[in-house]
Amino acid sequence: MAAAARLAVAGHEVVVHERSASYGGGVRQYVREGFAFDTGPGLLNLPAVYRDLFVKTGRERLEDRVELVQVPVTARHVFPEGDRGAVSLPNASRGKVIAALDEALGAGAGERWAGMLTRAREAWEATRRPLLEEPLRDEPASRGALGRDAYPALRKRGLLRRRTPTLAEAAQDELRDPRLAAMLCGCVWAHGLDPATAPASAAVLAYVEDTFGTWYVRGGMRALADALYERCRERRVTFHFGSAVTGVREKDGRAAGVELADGSLIDADVVVAGGGPATPGGAPGVAPGSEPGGAPGGQGGTERGMARFTVLLALRGARPDGTAHRTLVHRAAEPGQPVTVLRPDDPALRPDDAHETAVLSLPVPAGSFTDDTAAAQLAERLLAATDAAGLGLRERLLWHEVRTPADNEAETGAPGGRVPPPALPGADGAFLYPANRTDLPGLYTAGSWSHPGGGLPGAGMSGAMVAGLVQDPDWRGSV
């Protein structure tokens, strides 16, 4: 939709064929008995991406269409009992974060955390433009700026390492406290990336939260998809739902339209495909598991990305005052991956003020938990973790709904229910995504399975890049 709105404003006649019954991809909502839950992203980083989109497609502020709220606490981290308590990170306030960490974890903790964020800022400044604002170059990523890890990792005295460190190694080396390391690794896990294999540049994910803030859209994140859909309709974009594309047609060596599941042939001068594992197998240059032409070190194969296991909780009783919007529960029994708990203070998501909604989530392997018994057992473990953390959710539970990777696969078409993580520099381009321009002239890819990768900011930026390239094949950014 981000590409469609921009192309329509540029004067193109735009038609969207969507395989599912609705718009928005993974940005959806589950509604039952007066309760509503985001089943995809629950928070927004870098809202400037969508502010720019709405201004460029209508000279209207994003805030004129949705209510953006900056949450007061970026995240509350609750540690196992033996690791002493919890710490809340104030949103977009470095000084307050340092003070909170020193008070909760001991003197010096705040400065070590701030030092890590300062080094992450260097990586952000070195790679922001080529990663988020410019199309991928044709050169191999291993020779480009994005193939190198720009995070200036510290080294322990006497430590020899023939390669750049992973995020987990950098956290251990530099933060020197298992709780601080768990906080940084938890931020990365929440994006579906394993800190043990992700490059140290993944620290920029924590830097972005700390520097630019974390935001919520009143009415749930689905309200953002609603607003973008309405913007597309206002710009006369035509939508066909339940209209699956099975292939891209080729004529005279360029894209000439699409073929639909019902056998219909649709002519087009330019084709923009969803990209990644959900791309039609018949699409030249973007078949599942391949790397579209010109994609350095692409991440387009179906082996990339984890899925998400989610438990939706309908709770009796009002949301307690001072409750953090997001809590990460670090578990002693299953260290590594924390349970993310989202508890939005939003009247639109509950039947009345005597009730509350909560969403528990955990990254899991794609295609896992297809057995109902195994899914129920994992849901019980997640609830038990919140009990151990003192959140008191189970005693207020009216009902719950379990959503497995299969539910996400049914809605988005992503094999195994995979959720694309953000792109990262480093590792010779292994954490990048396929370029937006393919080997077949006239065929482009947009969305979270294309450059610059997963997450709401990445999806919005991919639409801007495609629109720029369609207008000018030599377009180099910035958007």
Side-chain angles (χ1 to χ4, degrees):
M1 289 195 293
R6 289 180 182 268
L7 288 169
V9 167
H12 296 273
E13 180 182 350
V14 182
V15 179
V16 176
H17 290 273
E18 165 61 46
R19 63 176 288 279
S20 70
S22 186
Y23 51 86
V27 185
R28 296 177 184 261
Q29 214 170 54
Y30 178 86
V31 180
R32 173 181 162 188
E33 299 174 13
F35 294 88
F37 308 84
D38 286 321
T39 59
L43 290 166
L44 176 64
N45 297 124
L46 297 177
V49 172
Y50 288 91
R51 288 179 174 136
D52 179 76
L53 171 60
F54 274 79
V55 168
K56 296 288 179 59
T57 60
R59 296 183 180 179
E60 184 180 30
R61 299 185 316 139
L62 172 63
E63 285 85 344
D64 292 333
R65 292 301 184 96
V66 299
E67 183 182 354
L68 276 180
V69 180
Q70 189 171 17
V71 297
V73 172
T74 299
R76 179 170 174 79
H77 293 264
V78 181
F79 304 107
E81 184 176 350
D83 288 337
R84 291 188 299 162
V87 59
S88 295
L89 299 182
N91 199 347
S93 175
R94 183 71 60 84
K96 291 181 179 178
V97 167
I98 292 173
L101 288 171
D102 282 347
E103 180 179 356
L105 306 182
E111 287 301 327
R112 293 196 298 277
W113 183 262
M116 177 273 298
L117 293 177
T118 297
R119 291 184 288 278
R121 182 187 65 194
E122 292 186 38
W124 168 261
E125 292 176 346
T127 59
R128 174 182 56 84
R129 283 182 59 86
L131 186 66
L132 292 177
E133 299 179 7
E134 300 175 350
L136 285 180
R137 313 288 187 184
D138 292 335
E139 65 196 20
S142 59
R143 296 200 301 268
L146 295 181
R148 298 185 297 271
D149 190 340
Y151 181 83
L154 300 181
R155 295 287 187 271
K156 285 184 177 180
R157 182 175 299 176
L159 178 64
L160 298 178
R161 190 180 279 132
R162 293 180 179 274
R163 53 171 175 76
T164 56
T166 65
L167 187 281
E169 290 168 342
Q172 181 180 12
D173 291 350
E174 300 174 10
L175 296 175
R176 303 194 305 277
D177 184 315
R179 295 163 297 180
L180 287 174
M183 289 167 58
L184 179 59
C185 291
C187 175
V188 173
W189 268 120
H191 289 275
L193 291 162
D194 185 348
T197 57
S201 64
V204 300
L205 299 174
Y207 169 78
V208 166
E209 289 187 354
D210 176 83
T211 303
F212 302 105
T214 301
W215 301 78
Y216 174 69
V217 178
R218 288 288 185 196
M221 297 305 298
R222 178 66 178 180
L224 180 62
D226 293 340
L228 185 48
Y229 174 69
E230 290 304 320
R231 171 52 51 86
C232 287
R233 294 291 303 273
E234 291 163 2
R235 299 298 170 259
R236 299 185 179 180
V237 176
T238 299
F239 286 81
H240 296 287
F241 298 109
S243 181
V245 174
T246 56
V248 175
R249 301 172 59 211
E250 183 179 350
K251 183 178 180 180
D252 298 328
R254 64 173 291 114
V258 297
E259 181 176 351
L260 304 182
D262 64 5
S264 301
L265 302 178
I266 308 297
D267 293 330
D269 297 320
V270 171
V271 176
V272 180
T279 298
V286 288
S290 72
E291 296 178 8
Q299 198 173 351
T302 56
E303 76 283 355
R304 284 290 182 186
M306 299 185 72
R308 185 180 294 120
F309 185 94
T310 306
V311 185
L312 315 178
L313 306 180
L315 305 172
R316 64 173 64 87
R319 180 181 185 267
D321 291 339
T323 298
H325 190 116
R326 176 175 57 172
T327 298
L328 273 68
V329 177
H330 301 272
R331 302 170 291 167
E334 298 178 75
Q337 296 186 46
V339 180
T340 298
V341 184
L342 296 181
R343 301 173 70 179
D345 185 12
D346 190 343
L349 304 186
R350 57 190 185 237
D352 52 51
D353 289 342
H355 294 85
E356 183 191 0
T357 63
V359 178
L360 316 182
S361 64
L362 187 74
V364 296
S368 59
F369 296 99
T370 56
D371 177 79
D372 289 345
T373 300
Q377 290 172 344
L378 178 56
E380 174 59 29
R381 292 205 303 273
L382 300 191
L383 271 170
T386 67
D387 284 346
L391 301 190
L393 303 181
R394 189 198 302 268
E395 62 195 31
R396 299 170 50 206
L397 188 62
L398 286 171
W399 51 264
H400 72 280
E401 181 77 19
V402 175
R403 290 179 56 84
T404 68
D407 295 308
N408 189 54
E409 180 174 7
E411 289 184 349
T412 67
R418 281 181 167 83
V419 178
L424 296 173
D428 291 330
F431 289 84
L432 300 179
Y433 283 79
N436 306 106
R437 180 168 47 200
T438 74
D439 277 339
L440 183 66
L443 175 62
Y444 302 85
T445 63
S448 291
W449 288 106
S450 303
H451 177 69
L456 289 169
M461 293 301 290
S462 78
M465 291 187 193
V466 166
L469 290 168
V470 170
Q471 292 298 106
D472 177 6
D474 295 323
W475 181 79
R476 308 301 284 175
S478 148
V479 291

